[in-house]
Amino acid sequence: MSTPNTPDTPNTRTAVVTGGSRGIGRRVVTRLAADGLAVVVGYAGNQVEAEAAVKEVEAIGGRAIAVRADVADEHAMAALFDTAEQTFGGVDVVVHAAARMPLAPLAELDLADLDDLHRTNIRGTFVVDQQAVRRLRPGGALVNFSSSVVGLAFPNYSAYAASKGAVEAMTLVLAREMRGRDVTVNVVAPGPTATDLFLGANDEQRVAQLAAQPPLQRLGTPDDIAEVVAFLASPAGHWVNGQVLRANGGII
């Protein structure tokens, strides 16, 4: 775990971002920091990238720490949130971006991969959300991640899409359970986005096909998705609640 580069103040808004060392989560970290939030970068194992994310935040004058924690381990996640509160004084935004994405036809997917995916994508979301709703201060926001593939039904994505369908269901229920708390709960469901995870899971031909599908005729970028998250996390987005935002450039 790293330490913050400057002393904190009581009025700092703080974000916890799981999966914050790479991809969309990494861009969310720097985008929220640019809005003045202190950020806890949650990561599973890549300490080098997590510390690099912290340095990016510090380079723009922000504050961040990196904390290693398995999102599906309730004790580890409780400790991460404890650290956020002890370091920055509280938690105002939680962005749960950590996920697995093994791809194969349903008939061929190894069930061990299915179990690992469910542990991270479903149990992990449940565990992170439990901590979020226990800790978020009034005016706060919880943002989970789904995927537009839930509706697009691409071949080879059955397990991943099923897990993200579960994320959408629990998030929409949770938004209603938070009545009276002044905390918003939403899901961002990106379409094909140019991350290492996506590019590593698809060959060049498939990437080109997916990039041609949106009317905007390109893949999404981590910046595109981070802007949506930043809006939902901001006071300007606080009237958006209990929604699935399909940020995919118009694929239908």
Side-chain angles (χ1 to χ4, degrees), residues 20-23 26 29 41-43 45-56 66 196:
S21 65
R22 300 179 65 190
R26 172 79 161 264
V29 166
V41 181
Y43 70 100
N46 196 328
Q47 182 176 353
V48 171
E49 291 296 332
E51 293 290 352
V54 170
K55 286 181 171 59
E56 284 187 30
D196 290 342

Side-chain angles (χ1 to χ4, degrees), residues 115-128:
D115 290 342
D116 287 344
L117 179 148
H118 280 185
R119 186 177 186 279
T120 298
N121 294 10
I122 299 178
R123 179 186 169 91
T125 300
F126 206 97
V127 169
V128 172

Side-chain angles (χ1 to χ4, degrees), residues 80-142:
L80 182 150
F81 276 81
D82 286 344
T83 299
E85 292 177 337
Q86 292 161 7
T87 305
F88 296 120
V91 178
D92 303 281
V93 174
V94 175
V95 181
H96 178 44
R100 292 180 181 269
M101 192 175 69
L103 301 182
L106 186 148
E108 299 173 14
L109 184 70
D110 190 307
L111 291 180
D113 289 338
L114 178 68
D115 290 342
D116 287 344
L117 179 148
H118 280 185
R119 186 177 186 279
T120 298
N121 294 10
I122 299 178
R123 179 186 169 91
T125 300
F126 206 97
V127 169
V128 172
D129 285 9
Q130 278 191 331
Q131 290 299 320
V133 300
R134 293 169 182 171
R135 315 275 192 139
L136 280 165
R137 295 186 285 202
L142 168 61

Side-chain angles (χ1 to χ4, degrees), residues 18 24 95-101 121-122 125 129 142-153 157 159-172 186-193 195 197 225 228-229 232 243-248:
T18 69
I24 292 171
V95 181
H96 178 44
R100 292 180 181 269
M101 192 175 69
N121 294 10
I122 299 178
T125 300
D129 285 9
L142 168 61
V143 181
N144 286 326
F145 269 86
S146 177
S147 169
S148 287
V149 77
V150 172
L152 297 172
Y157 282 80
Y160 181 71
S163 73
K164 291 304 188 178
V167 169
E168 291 187 12
M170 73 174 78
T171 305
L172 298 186
N186 293 289
V187 183
V188 175
T193 304
T195 64
L197 181 67
I225 309 307
V228 176
V229 174
L232 293 174
Q243 302 299 314
V244 178
L245 279 72
R246 303 210 178 280
N248 59 27

